[in-house]
Structures are given as structure tokens and as C-alpha cells.
Amino acid sequence: MRRHRDDQDEANVDMTPMLDIVFIMLIFFIVTTSFVKENTINMSRPSNNQSEQTDNPSAPVAIEITDLSEIRMEGRIIDVGAVQANIERKRAENPKTVVIIQAHEEAGVETLVSVVDGVREAGISSPIVARLPNK
């Protein structure tokens, strides 16, 4: 004879043992996990202070040629003939001096060529020539 089941007689699944196993596994994985500290590089950003850049002997020497063909070095106007002497002085302080020539697009080509020649005569074989950003 077959027995009819009522709604009350249905089988219930007890979730408690499954939750216990899940929590035990979670605790196990947390305890056995090893945390590795990554090696990092401490970097300091350069400041925008002009006086610190001129005091630093390894800072590149910037020569600026304005739209009126004026030559500026370290914030002062110099003559074309003084370029070689100034670069030689900077090179005596630091033999690995890098020279950057920033020329305005309306500057005279003769002035640019004279400055490059003066830098090369001072012993810098390959100065960096760049276009002066618009202000």
C-alpha cells in the first residue's frame, strides 16, 4: 500500500553542516595564505624651482633664442661670442654637461647656427636643439 505524503511530510534539507564546511574552508584559506610585500621604488618628483636647477651641477644648460634673436642663458642676455666661454665654464664644473638650445621659430637662423657653433667649439659635440614653446 502506498502512502500519500502531505505537505508537512516533505523532506527538508538542513543547510547548517554545509555552511559549517564553507566557513571552515574559508578560515583555512585565510590562515594559509601568504602575503608577499612587493618591492617598490621611491621616486621623488622634481621641483619647478629655477634656483635649484641652476645650483645642480648635473642639470642641463639651457640656451634660449628669442624671436628677436636675443640669446638668454640662465636668465640673462648674453652675446654670441660669450656662448663658448659660458659653456666651457659649465663644462669645467661638470664634464657630462648637456646643452639644450631652445630657439623660437621666428629667431634668426644665423643666430642659431652661431650658438650651435659656439657650443661645439666649447667641446659639446651634439647639443640638443628644440623649438621654444609658445608663451
Side-chain angles (χ1 to χ4, degrees):
M1 206 173 142
R2 237 169 161 206
R3 226 171 131 188
H4 268 37
R5 293 186 186 172
D6 292 337
D7 289 338
Q8 297 172 353
D9 288 341
E10 283 189 29
N12 291 330
V13 177
D14 188 17
M15 298 295 286
T16 306
M18 188 176 76
L19 288 175
D20 288 343
I21 291 173
V22 168
F23 283 127
I24 288 172
M25 288 174 53
L26 180 68
I27 292 170
F28 173 77
F29 287 124
I30 290 174
V31 170
T32 59
T33 301
S34 62
F35 296 100
V36 177
K37 183 175 180 178
E38 295 288 330
N39 293 334
T40 59
I41 299 173
N42 294 331
M43 297 182 69
S44 60
R45 298 179 70 191
S47 66
N48 199 14
N49 192 350
Q50 187 69 17
S51 63
E52 290 180 9
Q53 291 178 356
T54 56
D55 293 342
N56 187 359
S58 63
V61 177
I63 300 173
E64 178 183 336
I65 303 173
T66 64
D67 57 344
L68 302 174
S69 296
E70 293 178 337
I71 303 167
R72 293 181 183 263
M73 185 173 171
E74 296 177 345
R76 57 187 169 84
I77 298 174
I78 61 171
D79 188 32
V80 175
V83 171
Q84 180 180 351
N86 283 311
I87 298 300
E88 286 175 348
R89 180 179 52 85
K90 285 293 191 178
R91 194 158 181 248
E93 293 172 6
N94 183 11
K96 296 181 180 180
T97 299
V98 176
V99 177
I100 300 173
I101 303 171
Q102 296 177 323
H104 192 276
E105 58 187 27
E106 294 181 10
V109 177
E110 303 85 19
T111 307
L112 177 61
V113 171
S114 299
V115 170
V116 171
D117 288 342
V119 170
R120 286 189 176 156
E121 289 173 5
I124 306 293
S125 60
S126 57
I128 300 169
V129 179
R131 185 177 147 220
L132 191 63
N134 294 334
K135 294 182 181 179

